[in-house]
Amino acid sequence: MHLLVLRRIAWSLPSLGIVSALTFVLASLTPGDAARVVLGTNTDPAAYDRVRDQLGLDQPLWSQYGDWLVGAFQGDLGQSLFTGEPVLDIIGARLGVTLTLILSATVLAALVGVTLGLVGAVRGGIAGRVTDGLAMLGMAVPTFWLGLLLILLFATRLGWFPATGFVPFAVDPAGWVRSFTLPVLALSVGGIATIAKQTRGAVLDAMATEHVRALRANGVPDRRIVLTHCLKNAAVPVTTVVGLVMIGLLGGTILVEQVFALPGLGQLAVSATLSHDLPVLVGVVTVYTLVVLGSNLLTDLGYAWLSPRVEVSR
């Protein structure tokens, strides 16, 4: 287990380097820069050159990336080009919102998805067809459209939840839960559909094995067969899908945070991109990459726990 963790950590370092370098390159290809945002489009070229020099934008791209990389290895992701605030402080103030959104949506998607898939597999017939239909519908519905629909129904018409905004847990725990309810629902629907469909297929495959048929022939109750044997055999493929869903939800947070005006990393990434605040943008992308790597590590640990043979083969 420890060797598996160390191996994944070692592989994560090149991934972080590649992603950060690509972010620098892609950001440099976008029209405009931070100096143009500060001064506007119609400005004196000399003033524009002075601002670029003050912000360090006149340096070659490889030099900018090298300076950032040296600082990153020392735990310093730089400072915002506009506020001068350390990037780590900016990200730290918003990281909790995004992580809460991702983890809550993942847990909800896993619980509801596994339950729906299990019911659809065991009962079959209409229940199975309904599960497949809901799964296809859930995967087809755009997250931002669903978020707007939830706001219209539960916030505007019924008034059960706030339409937008965020309430810190320390200020009002109940308000914190209410401010996250609709965003988590909007973000988790696609994951619920994906996990439900995968769970149903995996349980059906497990129920068709000779082992399960032998248990039924020996008079073992169906409930015990499903909960003890079928779910155990289906756990590995379902764990894979849960890990992929968690990574997919990461991109969905950008849209959800915009729709519900949540002060998370997704909203920060959008504002940093529009203002060409490169240190903040690279910092957010780095954190997103760490979350993806962490999700993959958790999935691998789940493999090792559910089936030790998987760990040996990897």
Side-chain angles (χ1 to χ4, degrees), residues 13-83:
L13 296 179
S15 301
L16 287 172
I18 293 173
V19 170
S20 59
L22 285 176
T23 304
F24 263 85
V25 173
L26 294 177
S28 67
L29 298 178
T30 58
D33 57 18
R36 187 65 67 189
V37 174
V38 172
L39 298 175
T41 55
N42 299 320
T43 186
D44 180 31
Y48 174 70
D49 292 337
R50 284 196 301 271
V51 173
R52 281 181 55 85
D53 178 67
Q54 293 172 359
L55 297 177
L57 301 177
D58 58 335
Q59 299 296 321
L61 187 63
W62 61 267
S63 179
Q64 296 180 44
Y65 178 68
D67 293 339
W68 179 89
L69 197 60
V70 171
F73 274 110
Q74 298 174 353
D76 181 13
L77 297 181
Q79 298 176 332
S80 171
L81 298 179
F82 294 91
T83 65

Side-chain angles (χ1 to χ4, degrees), residues 36-302:
R36 187 65 67 189
V37 174
V38 172
L39 298 175
T41 55
N42 299 320
T43 186
D44 180 31
Y48 174 70
D49 292 337
R50 284 196 301 271
V51 173
R52 281 181 55 85
D53 178 67
Q54 293 172 359
L55 297 177
L57 301 177
D58 58 335
Q59 299 296 321
L61 187 63
W62 61 267
S63 179
Q64 296 180 44
Y65 178 68
D67 293 339
W68 179 89
L69 197 60
V70 171
F73 274 110
Q74 298 174 353
D76 181 13
L77 297 181
Q79 298 176 332
S80 171
L81 298 179
F82 294 91
T83 65
E85 186 179 359
V87 173
L88 284 176
D89 293 344
I90 299 175
I91 293 176
R94 294 171 174 261
L95 181 60
V97 175
T98 299
L99 288 182
T100 300
L101 188 59
I102 294 173
L103 294 177
S104 300
T106 302
V107 172
L108 179 61
L111 292 177
V112 178
V114 169
T115 302
L116 290 177
L118 183 61
V119 171
V122 172
R123 294 191 175 182
I126 296 178
R129 290 192 291 270
V130 169
T131 301
D132 288 340
L134 291 177
M136 296 299 295
L137 181 63
M139 288 185 286
V141 173
T143 302
F144 71 91
W145 181 84
L146 180 60
L148 294 175
L149 186 63
L150 292 175
I151 290 175
L152 178 63
L153 178 59
F154 293 104
T156 304
R157 294 189 177 180
L158 299 178
W160 293 352
F161 303 99
T164 58
F166 169 74
V167 179
F169 181 83
V171 175
D172 182 9
W176 177 80
V177 172
R178 294 178 71 246
S179 66
F180 269 111
T181 300
L182 294 184
V184 169
L185 286 176
L187 187 61
S188 62
V189 167
I192 291 174
T194 303
I195 294 173
K197 189 170 182 61
Q198 178 63 41
T199 301
R200 181 171 182 267
V203 172
L204 286 175
D205 290 340
M207 292 174 64
T209 59
E210 295 294 334
H211 175 63
V212 171
R213 292 176 183 174
L215 291 174
R216 283 178 174 170
N218 291 328
V220 179
D222 287 343
R223 180 185 296 271
R224 181 180 175 184
I225 292 175
V226 172
L227 297 180
T228 305
H229 300 278
C230 294
L231 274 182
K232 183 178 180 180
N233 293 334
V236 171
V238 171
T239 300
T240 303
V241 173
V242 172
L244 294 175
V245 165
M246 184 175 179
I247 295 174
L249 294 180
L250 201 60
T253 58
I254 298 177
L255 296 174
V256 170
E257 289 176 7
Q258 290 294 312
V259 171
F260 292 94
L262 295 177
L265 293 182
Q267 193 179 76
L268 179 62
V270 173
S271 62
T273 302
L274 295 176
S275 62
H276 299 278
D277 197 341
L278 186 57
V280 174
L281 178 60
V282 177
V284 172
V285 172
T286 301
V287 172
Y288 272 137
T289 306
L290 288 174
V291 173
V292 172
L293 295 173
S295 176
N296 290 333
L297 178 59
L298 289 176
T299 302
D300 289 336
L301 293 177

